[in-house]
């Protein structure tokens, strides 16, 4: 990755990391976040070759100010996912000689004292060579040709029908709604959540006003099957 592309990636990654800090608290704290993300995305689009994912994300950033806080956090996470394929700039390495706090080890001696004599090594007797027994030469094995390295497959870029339970017909219905890959399904967050921890009794449920949503717990005493228009 050349220096200019690295600079533009860092320019977009910096506001994304600020917004994602403290469990995406920066989404509401960083001033002018939408403008910074749009400017960084435009700069990166002018440099990369694969533009489709970034262009789709850029169309969402165009209406950043109209998104609520939860949707903005989702788009920040999506942007960080798009930048994950670009390597991060590594800090400069510090050599051991120039690193602070490292000193060469030396032994102090008093001024005017003669240098310590160097001990003379005692010669080690060399054993007489023993004739080695002849060893039969092993036949050389033929080297296997190196296997061709295949490019890693991104599981999030796989089509929806690659997931168990999604057939071709269901995949076509999902594609009509713009859901073509596994990543598209990942970013399809629910619009609301039902809290089932506060389960009410049937008496409390019957006393509620019409139109209110609630979760109730009950025991089925009896059940039977009815037929209507030939169906059960």
């Amino acid at each position: 990755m050349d220096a200019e592309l690295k600079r533009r990636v860092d320019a977009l990654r910096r506001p994304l990391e600020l917004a994602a800090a403290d469990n995406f608290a920066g989404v509401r704290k960083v001033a002018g976040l939408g403008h910074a993300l749009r400017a960084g995305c435009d700069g990166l689009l002018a440099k990369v070759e694969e533009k489709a994912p970034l262009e789709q994300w850029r169309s969402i950033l165009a209406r950043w100010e109209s998104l609520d806080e939860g949707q903005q956090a989702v788009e920040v996470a999506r942007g960080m996912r798009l930048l994950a394929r670009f390597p991060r700039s590594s800090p400069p390495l510090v050599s051991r000689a120039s690193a602070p706090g490292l000193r060469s080890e030396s032994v102090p001696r008093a001024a005017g004292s003669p240098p310590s004599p160097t001990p003379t090594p005692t010669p080690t007797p060399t054993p007489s060579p023993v004739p080695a027994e002849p060893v039969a030469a092993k036949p050389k094995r033929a080297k296997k040709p190196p296997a061709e390295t295949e490019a890693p497959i991104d599981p999030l870029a796989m089509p929806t029908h690659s997931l168990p339970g999604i057939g071709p017909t269901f995949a076509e219905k999902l594609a009509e709604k713009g859901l073509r890959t596994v990543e598209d399904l990942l970013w399809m967050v629910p619009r609301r959540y039902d809290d089932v921890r506060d389960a009410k009794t049937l008496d409390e449920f019957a006393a509620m006003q019409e139109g209110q949503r609630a979760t109730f717990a009950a025991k089925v005493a009896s059940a039977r099957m009815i037929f209507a228009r030939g169906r059960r």
Side-chain angles (χ1 to χ4, degrees), residues 8-229:
R8 299 191 182 197
V9 170
D10 291 341
L12 180 56
R13 179 177 281 133
R14 193 174 300 109
L16 285 173
E17 291 180 346
L18 289 176
D22 297 332
N23 197 14
F24 295 93
V27 170
R28 60 179 181 273
K29 292 181 180 180
V30 179
L33 180 59
H35 175 73
L37 294 179
R38 287 190 292 265
C41 187
D42 292 339
L44 190 57
L45 277 172
K47 192 67 177 176
V48 298
E49 297 179 357
E50 187 179 356
K51 302 179 182 293
L54 281 174
E55 288 177 347
Q56 183 180 4
W57 186 54
R58 178 61 176 83
S59 63
I60 302 177
L61 294 180
R63 47 188 178 86
W64 172 269
E65 285 73 16
S66 62
L67 303 178
D68 58 24
E69 186 176 330
Q71 293 172 332
Q72 289 177 352
V74 170
E75 297 309 321
V76 169
R78 189 198 302 269
M80 297 184 69
R81 157 71 184 163
L82 293 175
L83 293 187
R85 58 191 179 97
F86 297 101
R88 181 182 293 273
S89 302
S90 57
L93 298 178
V94 180
S95 62
R96 183 177 179 85
S98 60
L102 296 181
R103 299 179 180 177
S104 59
E105 296 182 357
S106 60
V107 179
R109 59 188 181 91
S113 60
S116 303
T118 304
T120 305
T122 305
T124 305
T126 305
S128 57
V130 179
E133 296 180 359
V135 181
K138 295 182 180 180
K140 296 182 179 180
R141 297 182 180 179
K143 295 183 178 180
K144 296 182 180 180
E148 297 182 359
T149 57
E150 299 180 355
I153 300 177
D154 187 1
L156 296 181
M158 298 293 291
T160 55
H161 62 77
S162 63
L163 297 175
I166 299 182
T169 304
F170 190 23
E172 291 179 1
K173 294 181 179 180
L174 293 175
E176 294 176 358
K177 298 182 179 296
L179 305 174
R180 297 180 176 83
T181 63
V182 178
E183 185 175 2
D184 294 337
L185 295 177
L186 179 64
W187 294 114
M188 187 181 176
V189 296
R191 290 178 295 179
R192 69 170 186 269
Y193 297 90
D194 293 336
D195 189 1
V196 298
R197 294 173 297 180
D198 185 16
K200 301 182 180 300
T201 62
L202 284 178
D203 295 337
E204 295 174 344
F205 180 75
M208 296 177 61
Q209 296 181 0
E210 183 178 356
Q212 291 182 338
R213 299 178 60 89
T215 302
F216 66 89
K219 181 179 180 181
V220 179
S222 62
R224 62 189 181 90
M225 188 177 299
I226 62 174
F227 294 86
R229 296 181 183 180

